[in-house]
Amino acid sequence: MKGMILAAGQGTRVKPITQVIPKPMIPILGKPVMESMIELYAQHNINKIVINTSHLAEVIEGYFGDGHHFDVQLSYSYEGRLVDGVYNSQALGSAGGMQKIQQFSGFFDETFVVVCGDAWIDLDLTEAVRLHKKNGGIATIVTKNVLLDEVEKYGVVVTDAKGRVTSFQEKPAKEDALSTKINTGIYIFEPAIFDYIPKDTEYDIGSELFPKLVEEHIPFYAVEMNFQWLDVGNIMDIWSVTKDILEGKVPGYRIPGTQVKAGVWLGINSVVDIDNCDITPPVVIGSGCKIDPNAKLVGPTLIGANCQIDKGSIVEESLIFDYIHVEKDSHVKHQTIFGNYCIGHNGAPSNDSNWSNLRSHVAHNRVSDMLNTI
């Protein structure tokens, strides 16, 4: 079976991290979020996959290659132009990216699945496809039911009694919401969908294609399914998703390393005195790290690969990406540190009075070195 992963966006809501790596490559506990999606496809025998790319495409293609390490076949559809020997990104939108692939090779010649590359899910895709075929529509949106208080964060899908989509609401106030079914960005299509997508232009699935299908009374459906869905739509989500996993709220997400004591996971080739170091779980320490015995780690905290935490330093409820050196007597609290950037858990650049001093203490290797570890 065939699938597509949408990975061409700029990731503007996840800046400044996406100035260095594309959004689908943001690591959750050391693993790029899109890697989990490829693994899910493979589990459900969706083994021929095209990924549309644009912004920092070389990072995605360099990591995943042809897909053989994941037991799938991968191809890439770059969205951009070559100008004076330089590739310039020019994303075509989710539906426009699909149409570009179809015009190039006719790849989508059977029922196919399309997902976003910036979420982790444990959805039974086989069952979702079965329900799609049972309904007999041209397209299916996989929806998830949320609490009424949460609808204003999502696109809401409204259906009739048979599950046929009748309208949409974009982030409605809870008093205006006509449904609590949200669009998860997981779609199943028949090849006939391309009759409704214009060629050679930017075109979006959610805001343009689906409303067009409703307007023209084309049968397509929503199937509500119960599954876990972790979306990294913005900076704040990176921390909240990591925190939920470390606190055991996401059954099925594998925590890397070896659990060396209750709530403490350790990678290989790391130097840390587990018995004497002051560690309050849950804490994950990546491979190749050096933690001074007189440092203090307070969970939930993630220390990425090849990090160094010096004497007297405290890392408290924070997310430290790879190749970060926290020097002597620094205090990192409620922060995400990635390269040169320190971001509070509210998504804003740190305004902690300690951060101006901490800048001189937190060092890191070159970004190119850091990318090699993702």
Side-chain angles (χ1 to χ4, degrees):
M1 192 170 173
K2 296 179 179 180
M4 179 180 178
I5 298 178
L6 302 170
Q10 293 283 335
T12 54
R13 291 187 297 154
V14 198
K15 285 184 176 179
I17 289 177
T18 47
Q19 291 175 339
V20 179
I21 59 173
K23 189 177 177 183
M25 297 302 294
I26 292 173
I28 302 299
L29 274 68
K31 177 189 289 189
V33 62
M34 194 170 78
E35 182 173 340
S36 297
M37 188 59 71
I38 291 174
E39 291 173 341
L40 181 70
Y41 266 167
Q43 291 170 18
H44 291 274
N45 200 34
I46 301 173
N47 51 24
K48 297 177 181 178
I49 306 163
V50 174
I51 302 170
N52 71 326
T53 60
S54 189
H55 175 61
L56 296 174
E58 67 278 6
V59 178
I60 295 175
E61 297 184 29
Y63 184 89
F64 291 108
D66 64 4
H68 74 275
H69 292 297
F70 304 94
D71 295 323
V72 298
Q73 297 179 62
L74 295 179
S75 181
Y76 304 91
S77 176
Y78 178 73
E79 296 175 13
R81 296 183 301 163
L82 182 63
V83 180
D84 297 328
V86 177
Y87 283 100
N88 295 308
S89 297
Q90 190 175 8
L92 293 171
S94 48
M98 288 166 47
Q99 184 66 275
K100 180 178 185 291
I101 295 166
Q102 190 69 354
Q103 290 300 302
F104 176 73
S105 68
F107 176 74
F108 300 111
D109 56 0
E110 59 181 347
T111 302
F112 63 99
V113 180
V114 176
V115 298
C116 296
D118 58 0
W120 176 86
I121 61 173
D122 62 358
L123 174 67
D124 185 345
L125 287 173
T126 301
E127 176 63 9
V129 171
R130 186 191 71 81
L131 293 172
H132 162 80
K133 291 183 176 181
K134 178 182 177 182
N135 287 330
I138 195 173
T140 294
I141 306 172
V142 175
T143 62
K144 184 176 177 62
N145 195 47
V146 300
L147 297 174
L148 184 60
D149 288 341
E150 298 178 342
V151 293
E152 61 187 16
K153 298 188 294 184
Y154 303 104
V156 168
V157 182
V158 184
T159 64
D160 64 17
K162 294 183 178 180
R164 185 164 168 169
V165 177
T166 57
S167 65
F168 299 92
Q169 293 178 291
E170 183 59 28
K171 299 180 180 179
K174 66 178 183 180
E175 58 269 19
D176 298 325
L178 300 176
S179 166
T180 54
K181 299 175 184 177
I182 62 165
N183 182 355
T184 61
I186 305 165
Y187 312 122
I188 306 167
F189 294 110
E190 296 300 319
I193 194 67
F194 292 103
D195 293 339
Y196 303 92
I197 303 174
K199 300 173 183 176
D200 304 318
T201 189
E202 185 175 345
Y203 203 68
D204 184 69
I205 292 174
S207 64
E208 294 178 286
L209 174 61
F210 285 159
K212 181 177 183 178
L213 296 182
V214 170
E215 181 182 350
E216 297 189 13
H217 305 289
I218 306 300
F220 82 108
Y221 294 82
V223 294
E224 182 180 329
M225 300 188 70
N226 184 25
F227 62 101
Q228 296 180 102
W229 178 49
L230 305 179
D231 179 28
V232 288
N234 56 51
I235 285 286
M236 292 178 288
D237 291 335
I238 300 172
W239 165 249
S240 63
V241 164
T242 302
K243 180 176 181 289
D244 284 349
I245 294 171
L246 293 181
E247 292 181 340
K249 298 177 182 177
V250 188
Y253 197 104
R254 188 182 67 82
I255 296 178
T258 300
Q259 189 167 6
V260 293
K261 61 189 300 185
V264 179
W265 291 263
L266 181 64
I268 64 171
N269 191 38
S270 286
V271 178
V272 53
D273 188 341
I274 291 295
D275 293 325
N276 295 309
C277 190
D278 190 351
I279 302 176
T280 303
V283 170
V284 172
I285 301 170
S287 296
C289 291
K290 184 177 181 180
I291 313 295
D292 189 276
N294 294 305
K296 182 177 182 179
L297 306 179
V298 180
T301 282
L302 171 71
I303 307 295
N306 302 297
C307 290
Q308 181 173 328
I309 313 297
D310 285 351
K311 180 180 179 179
S313 292
I314 302 172
V315 179
E316 184 175 354
E317 296 185 26
S318 292
L319 174 57
I320 310 294
F321 280 77
D322 300 347
Y323 282 98
I324 300 294
H325 180 187
V326 180
E327 294 189 347
K328 182 180 178 180
D329 297 327
S330 299
H331 189 183
V332 179
K333 183 177 181 180
H334 299 164
Q335 303 294 325
T336 294
I337 298 180
F338 181 90
N340 285 322
Y341 305 109
C342 185
I343 305 160
H345 291 340
N346 62 355
S350 178
N351 57 6
D352 190 326
S353 59
N354 184 50
W355 177 238
S356 59
N357 178 58
L358 186 59
R359 284 184 185 277
S360 64
H361 294 296
V362 179
H364 56 89
N365 280 357
R366 291 178 296 113
V367 166
S368 59
D369 291 333
M370 182 164 57
L371 288 176
N372 288 334
T373 71
I374 295 175

